[in-house]
Amino acid sequence: MSLLVKICGITTPTAIDAAVAAGADMIGLVFFERSPRHVSMETARALAAHAAGRARIVALTVDADDVFLATLATDIRPDIIQFHGEETPARVAAIRSGLAIPVMKAVGVAEAADLAAIASYAEVSDLLLVDAKPPKTAAALPGGNGLTFDWRLVAGLDPGRPVMLSGGLHPGNVAEAVRLTRLAGVDVSSGVESTPGHKDPDRIRAFVAAARAAQGEGERE
């Protein structure tokens, strides 16, 4: 299976164009007001229309309520809803069933014990994302903190659902991450930015190229 590459935290049509031209499979729109990558529903509608048919649209939410999610499903029509908060497996299952939209659940990882949650989320999700667990500070965001974790913890992880890797990835380390973990995909946000919230087309191209090259090396081994 071809490696999935997601460019998250997209805020402009230019960033979408760069991601698509580079060969990314997914673009992520962030709906979390504390994030420098947050987009309003109005902006997201325009971005989704720009990306439609060119890349899969992932809507990242953090403990969103039913009203917001229903509006999101109707107005944006994402291909995938990503849950990046404290949503329980029951909550994920209920939303997935109610909205009939594929879902991805992010699981924060800092140590081996954190992997215990993966099995229950795998039962109710279409995809999973293993991300660096955010630091315990008031300013920390659920994701996009530019932090890595010990990738050996998830090397070869196979819970019966595709698993993507996130957390501190950038053009300089994504090849190593792909080769070591052998997961289904990689997800980058801050690692391809010039400043928080502003994607750099050159870094996007370099990231996707490095990820694809690493997968190709693995297939030839």
Side-chain angles (χ1 to χ4, degrees), residues 166-187:
S166 187
L169 296 177
H170 55 72
N173 68 4
V174 67
E176 179 187 358
V178 170
R179 287 192 292 262
L180 176 61
T181 64
R182 306 181 304 281
L183 295 179
V186 288
D187 182 339

Side-chain angles (χ1 to χ4, degrees), residues 28-55:
L29 305 177
V30 174
F31 298 90
F32 184 60
E33 292 185 359
R34 285 174 47 207
S35 171
R37 302 161 192 96
H38 169 71
V39 290
S40 67
M41 197 67 73
E42 181 179 3
T43 297
R45 277 195 294 269
L47 292 173
H50 192 72
R54 304 168 68 202

Side-chain angles (χ1 to χ4, degrees), residues 48-60:
H50 192 72
R54 304 168 68 202
R56 295 166 74 185
I57 300 164
V58 181
L60 186 157

Side-chain angles (χ1 to χ4, degrees), residues 88-115:
T88 65
R91 172 74 172 150
V92 172
I95 297 168
R96 182 188 186 215
S97 174
L99 296 181
I101 294 175
V103 301
M104 175 192 301
K105 179 67 179 86
V107 178
V109 177
E111 57 187 28
D114 296 321
L115 302 178

